[in-house]
Amino acid sequence: MLTTFAGTLASPVSVGHIFHFSAKSLDDAERVDIDFQTERSADADVPLHLSVRFEEQRLVVGSKLGGQWVEAERQTPQHDTTSQSALQTLMPGHVFTVYVLVGDSSYHIALADCPIGAFTIRGSLADIKAVTITKDVHQILAVDHRQSFPFPFPAIQMHDETCYFSNDVPKPFVPGHVIILTAVPYGNPRGGFIIKFHENGSRKQALHFNPRFDPHYVVVRNSHASEALDFRQEERTGGFPFIIDQQFTLAIGLAEQEFKFAINGSQFETYAYKAHRQLDTLNGFRVQCTNGLQLEVTAVDHYHSGSPDCAGYEEYSNPYADLLA
């Protein structure tokens, strides 16, 4: 299955930020492109362009400013056997991981935890608003935006082997933040998926949003009551707005007192926060799939509604809404 990803970032890019990308390429993949763009449109400028070339086992880096592509840099270290070994792991049909650390004057790139090189920052970091992943992609596993300076955020990274997709943000959420997830459920129609918000990088879930398909057709909302990870009583009202093999757009409003959910332009349900200053404990979300169902995540957009109560956030889940304006 061929897929792509496009997303608006949660906050401006600045020195000390780290991006973590993980994806699986197609079995016959030739290249996968990761672009840092000035906006979420096809003709936007690209201050940083990363192109993973599988046949050449190269990482090509370039930029497009003022509509003009700047000559690319092809990074194939001849003197660093560690970097060479990392590039040689680029195999079609396999998972690969790319890290980008934003420095004072350069982007520092790592592949499979091995440094590949440093590349000059062109243009203004503040102009970077979106990230896209395109070309020969089978599955997007992680699009994480983190901060290492002046203090790490998230401070703790929980290892979760059940995680299907992750999306971290570099700063605590504030009331009025809206997350828009676009995805397609496919595979076993008797499975389900879970969107999880963890507290302070631990296994304790502040939100467990779990659509369960055939035969249940219910969306369970829940959270952990204690560090022992015991669940509270489930909330199941609201019906079942998801359809197998059909794309949905889910808006999650982070209001002052509760999570709010809207799907395909309509208000769905809410889930009240169970902890004081709940948003301060959250740093993004994880997706888990169950019983053979899979979720093709094609977009995660972050917007600030301008209202602490997320007034009007339902429109963000409208598949026909022009969010690029």
Side-chain angles (χ1 to χ4, degrees):
M1 176 184 292
L2 178 67
T3 190
T4 60
F5 178 90
T8 305
L9 299 176
S11 65
V13 177
S14 63
V15 174
H17 283 195
I18 297 175
F19 288 86
H20 163 226
F21 303 101
S22 184
K24 183 179 181 181
S25 61
L26 296 175
D27 289 341
D28 59 350
E30 296 181 2
R31 63 188 282 185
V32 172
D33 290 349
I34 301 172
D35 287 336
F36 291 69
Q37 302 184 178
T38 55
E39 59 183 33
R40 194 179 176 278
S41 64
D43 58 352
D45 274 359
V46 184
L48 178 62
H49 166 78
L50 303 174
S51 185
V52 180
R53 306 292 175 88
F54 294 94
E55 290 187 359
E56 304 172 26
Q57 292 185 322
R58 292 176 181 263
L59 181 66
V60 177
V61 183
S63 56
K64 184 178 74 171
L65 300 175
Q68 300 295 317
W69 282 100
V70 178
E71 183 176 354
E73 305 174 47
R74 292 172 175 261
Q75 189 69 14
T76 309
Q78 300 298 321
H79 59 284
D80 188 334
T81 56
T82 301
S83 297
Q84 285 182 319
S85 297
L87 288 164
Q88 289 169 3
T89 65
L90 292 174
M91 302 289 291
H94 289 70
V95 173
F96 67 93
T97 300
V98 175
Y99 291 95
V100 180
L101 169 63
V102 182
D104 290 324
S105 59
S106 300
Y107 299 106
H108 301 269
I109 315 298
L111 178 67
D113 296 328
C114 296
I116 297 298
F119 304 91
T120 303
I121 294 175
R122 298 188 175 103
S124 171
L125 292 176
D127 290 338
I128 299 174
K129 300 294 194 303
V131 167
T132 63
I133 305 175
T134 57
K135 303 299 184 184
D136 303 327
V137 189
H138 172 67
Q139 180 185 355
I140 309 296
L141 299 169
V143 181
D144 294 320
H145 180 187
R146 301 166 180 161
Q147 175 179 271
S148 63
F149 177 84
F151 57 87
F153 190 91
I156 301 173
Q157 289 302 310
M158 176 193 65
H159 178 67
D160 184 358
E161 294 181 352
T162 67
C163 180
Y164 187 87
F165 175 83
S166 68
N167 187 249
D168 285 338
V169 297
K171 296 181 179 180
F173 293 114
V174 296
H177 192 107
V178 181
I179 301 170
I180 304 96
L181 170 68
T182 304
V184 179
Y186 68 99
N188 185 2
R190 298 181 68 85
F193 65 90
I194 307 167
I195 299 174
K196 302 185 288 187
F197 285 77
H198 292 271
E199 292 188 0
N200 296 317
S202 70
R203 295 188 179 278
K204 184 180 179 183
Q205 296 177 39
L207 174 67
H208 181 97
F209 184 90
N210 179 201
R212 301 174 185 175
F213 288 76
D214 185 28
H216 309 286
Y217 296 109
V218 64
V219 180
V220 172
R221 282 95 58 201
N222 211 332
S223 59
H224 286 143
S226 69
E227 302 300 332
L229 307 185
D230 50 319
F231 276 105
R232 294 182 168 86
Q233 184 173 350
E234 295 178 346
E235 297 182 11
R236 291 173 166 239
T237 56
F240 194 78
F242 300 96
I243 301 175
I244 199 77
D245 293 328
Q246 289 194 20
Q247 178 175 286
F248 66 84
T249 301
L250 168 66
I252 304 174
L254 305 179
E256 290 183 298
Q257 303 295 330
E258 60 188 358
F259 296 98
K260 293 186 171 185
F261 309 101
I263 300 173
N264 295 337
S266 299
Q267 169 71 30
F268 175 61
E269 271 293 348
T270 63
Y271 187 78
Y273 301 146
K274 307 304 182 185
H276 179 62
R277 298 183 64 88
Q278 183 74 86
L279 294 183
D280 290 348
T281 71
L282 310 180
N283 55 257
F285 69 92
R286 302 283 187 274
V287 174
Q288 177 184 347
C289 295
T290 61
N291 199 31
L293 184 133
Q294 298 185 64
L295 195 67
E296 180 188 358
V297 178
T298 60
V300 178
D301 293 293
H302 293 267
Y303 288 91
H304 295 278
S305 65
S307 166
D309 201 37
C310 299
Y313 84 105
E314 299 92 338
E315 184 61 21
Y316 289 117
S317 72
N318 186 338
Y320 304 104
D322 184 9
L323 298 180
L324 303 181

